[in-house]
Amino acid sequence: MTEVLSQDEIDQLLTAISSGDIDAADDTTSTQQDTRKIKIYDFKRPDKFSKEQIRTVSIMHETFARLTTTSLSANLRSLVQVHVASVDQLTYEEFVRSIPNPTTLAVINMDPLKGSAILEIDPAITFSIIDRLFGGQGEGTKVTRDLTDIETTVMEGIIVRILGNMREAWSQVIDLRPRLGQIETNPQFAQIVPPTEMVVLVTLETKVGEVEGMMNFCIPYLTIEPIISKLSAQYWYSSVRRGTTTENLQILRERLSAIEVDVVAEIGNMQLTVRDVLSLRSGDVVRLPNVRISDPMALKIGNKPKFMCKPGRNGNKLAVQITKKLEDIDQEEFEELAAEAEEVE
C-alpha cells in the first residue's frame, strides 16, 4: 500500500535533495518496473522476411557453402573453406555501399524466378583464385584494379561452377536454373533493383589457402517473393522427406541399372614366383592344383563373389551358366562353400 507523505516530510526530502545528501537518481525502482522494452521500427525499410524464412535461407546456403568448399578445393587443388557468416535483410543501397570498388560482381539470372541476383566476390579472393589457376601459390594482391579480359574469362568459369552448387542447394524449394549474365567491377553499374528495395544478403566467409575474404549473395525481395511461402521449416523438412519416395527410388534404380560393372569368372588360383610370371608366353598352359573342369566356379561382381557357375560355350563364345546365387557372405564362408562343393564332386 502506498504511504502518503506529510508536508513536513516532503519539505525535509526536498531539503536533503538540494543539499546533496540524497541523489534523486537513487529512487528509480518503481520507474524501472514501469519501463517497457521498445523496439525501433523504421517504416522506410520494413522487414520483408520473417525469422523463420531467414533461417531457411541460411540452411539452404549452408548446403551451398559445403558444395562450394568441395568443388573449389578440387578445382584449385588447394584448401578452400566456405561457410555462412550471416543472413541479413537490408536495402539494396546499403548493400552497394558496403562492398569495395572495384570488386567482382556477377549478375545472376534467377530462372524461372523473375529478376536477377548478385554474387559479389571479394577482390582478395578473386586474385587468389586467379593466381592459383595461373600456377601461383594462391596469394592475393593488395593492388586495387579492374580485372583484365583474360582474368574475367577465368572468373566466369569459376562462377559457372559455383552456380551449379547453388542450383543443387535450392533444389528442395525450386528447380532453380541460375545463369551468369555479366561480370561488373563497379557496383554503380549493377543496379538490378531500386536503391530502397529490400534484399536478403547471404554473407559467406571464404578462405583460399591463407587468403581470407567474403562472398556475398544478394537476392532482391521482388525476385524471391513468388516462393516466399516455401521458405519455412515445415515446407523444407517435408520436401526432404519427399526425397525418399517410391518414385524417386525407382528413378535411382533405373539410373543404377545402366551402370557397367566388371564380372569375372574365377576358375581357381595358385601361387607363382615373379620369375615364373615373367617367363609366361602366349600358348603356355598353367595347371591349377586341385581344380577339375566339373568344379563350380565363383562369378564375382567387382571383387565380391555373388554367384556360383559352371563353364561352357554359347556358340563360338566362352560362357558360364549360373547355378546358384550367393547371399552377402564373407570370404571365409565362400571358401567353405567351395570346399564342400569340391568334396561332393
Side-chain angles (χ1 to χ4, degrees), residues 52 56 170-174 227-242:
E52 183 182 22
T56 303
W170 282 58
S171 61
Q172 299 294 343
V173 175
I174 186 175
I227 60 169
I228 198 71
S229 61
K230 296 182 179 180
L231 299 180
S232 63
Q234 181 178 1
Y235 183 88
W236 175 263
Y237 290 116
S238 64
S239 299
V240 173
R241 287 195 297 269
R242 286 199 297 269

Side-chain angles (χ1 to χ4, degrees), residues 23 42 101 106 130 161 188 192 223 236 245 284 317-318 339:
D23 190 356
D42 187 354
N101 183 16
I130 292 172
R161 288 176 178 267
Q188 300 300 325
I192 58 175
T223 299
W236 175 263
T245 60
D284 290 348
K317 297 180 180 180
L318 294 175

